[in-house]
Amino acid sequence: MALLLCFFLSLVISSATACDRCVHQSKAAYFSKASALSSGACGYGSLAVGFNSGFLAAAIPSLYKDGAGCGACFQIRCKNANLCTKGGTRVIATDLNRNNNTDFVLSSRAFAAMARQGMSQDILRQGIVDVEYKRVPCDYKDRNLAVRVEESSQKPNYLAIKVLYQGGQTEIVAIDVAQVGSSYWTYMSRNHGAVWNTSRVPNGALQFRFVVTSGYDGKWIWAKSVLPADWQNGVVYDSGIQITDIAQEGCSQCDDGSW
Ligand SMILES: *[C@@H]1O[C@H](CO)[C@@H](O)[C@H](O)[C@H]1NC(C)=O
Ligand SMILES: *[C@@H]1O[C@H](CO)[C@@H](O)[C@H](O)[C@H]1NC(C)=O
């Protein structure tokens, strides 16, 4: 898997410059209804509202990546210097934006946060603005990567999990599950968004390993003990680990660190 990833990424990167962060030019709009984001394609549901103080975004398919882009963080600023701050705001992707006029549709809170002090009504009135943005690492401070057992799970035959609080600047491309202490791994499939599933559920307490993009290829991240033997639907379990890796991107304009 790592080799395959390496091959794939070197193909992508060789035609452009590899860097930690690419800068992209686009436009952004905002959702007039806050509820639009809690029903987002990533499947975070009402949990999304609690992420990143509600600074959320729907991202176009090339960023959503069939769900692998769920939970990715972006720094985004509007280009009108009279209206907006240089720093912009930081958002987390929780939904798919199917409208191809803008790369992002932001929560109104995030959209307004791009404005200078006292100008949030002015930016909201514009509705759509020119922006530039870059992917940045997600930082959950002292919080670990977590796994939530979805309500659709049916012990012992079906397990669906949602991955929460994914740090770093990577994508999870595969997840395997095994009983704690066992090396008999079974793979999970991406159900949709941040939700993964399997019908081959090991018995007992469960460990997970995640394949994430990192550097120029990929790596395994191993969470040795995550679900207790009596795992319950609807409960969030701490994985005991966090991801801090950065995957290189290929792009025409690298971030020069000026914002
Ligand atoms: C954008 O979406 C519209 C309507 O769905 C479609 O007609 C158009 O071809 C799309 N443009 C691009 C560049 O994909
Ligand atoms: C997991 O989800 C996918 C996508 O919805 C579905 O096709 C697949 O049947 C599910 N797997 C199991 C074991 O139910």
Side-chain angles (χ1 to χ4, degrees):
M1 175 62 89
L3 260 178
L4 230 162
L5 269 173
C6 184
F7 176 67
F8 175 71
L9 285 174
S10 50
L11 274 183
V12 171
I13 287 174
S14 60
S15 60
T17 315
C19 48
D20 280 1
R21 283 172 290 278
C22 303
V23 177
H24 304 273
Q25 315 293 324
S26 181
K27 293 175 189 291
Y30 70 93
F31 284 109
S32 46
K33 283 199 196 116
S35 58
L37 286 159
S38 59
S39 58
C42 290
Y44 295 126
S46 57
L47 284 172
V49 181
F51 292 163
N52 196 31
S53 313
F55 288 50
L56 309 177
I60 47 170
S62 59
L63 300 173
Y64 181 77
K65 299 179 183 175
D66 291 328
C70 287
C73 295
F74 297 89
Q75 192 78 24
I76 174 165
R77 64 178 179 185
C78 104
K79 291 171 76 171
N80 179 345
N82 295 325
L83 188 59
C84 292
T85 62
K86 272 189 93 157
T89 191
R90 184 165 293 213
V91 297
I92 172 167
T94 56
D95 195 4
L96 170 64
N97 172 24
R98 292 182 179 86
N99 172 340
N100 61 12
N101 295 326
T102 68
D103 282 13
F104 290 106
V105 182
L106 305 182
S107 58
S108 55
R109 187 180 286 191
F111 193 81
M114 294 190 293
R116 291 175 177 276
Q117 189 149 23
M119 301 192 81
S120 58
Q121 287 310 314
D122 302 86
I123 193 171
L124 290 170
R125 221 171 288 127
Q126 299 225 346
I128 178 164
V129 292
D130 290 320
V131 296
E132 57 189 353
Y133 68 88
K134 59 190 178 183
R135 176 112 190 246
V136 292
C138 297
D139 179 6
Y140 286 101
K141 303 282 183 296
D142 297 329
R143 186 170 236 168
N144 284 330
L145 182 74
V147 165
R148 181 180 188 279
V149 176
E150 295 294 277
E151 277 78 3
S152 59
S153 297
Q154 290 186 336
K155 219 174 191 172
N157 297 318
Y158 181 70
L159 173 64
I161 59 164
K162 182 151 65 200
V163 179
L164 299 173
Y165 316 124
Q166 181 186 339
Q169 192 182 319
T170 70
E171 277 136 34
I172 294 174
V173 293
I175 302 181
D176 294 330
V177 58
Q179 189 177 113
V180 170
S182 159
S183 55
Y184 185 72
W185 293 95
T186 55
Y187 69 88
M188 301 192 75
S189 305
R190 189 184 293 281
N191 177 260
H192 72 283
V195 180
W196 295 71
N197 65 3
T198 181
S199 57
R200 294 179 301 146
V201 188
N203 293 321
L206 300 179
Q207 58 175 334
F208 293 87
R209 60 183 187 189
F210 304 87
V211 181
V212 303
T213 54
S214 171
Y216 293 100
D217 53 12
K219 70 186 264 190
W220 297 103
I221 303 232
W222 184 15
K224 297 182 183 179
S225 174
V226 184
L227 301 192
D230 64 344
W231 53 265
Q232 311 270 331
N233 294 5
V235 177
V236 176
Y237 295 95
D238 188 327
S239 74
I241 54 145
Q242 185 50 283
I243 303 171
T244 55
D245 297 81
I246 302 225
Q248 294 286 306
E249 302 182 66
C251 51
S252 48
Q253 189 191 356
C254 285
D255 174 31
D256 62 8
S258 62
W259 63 296

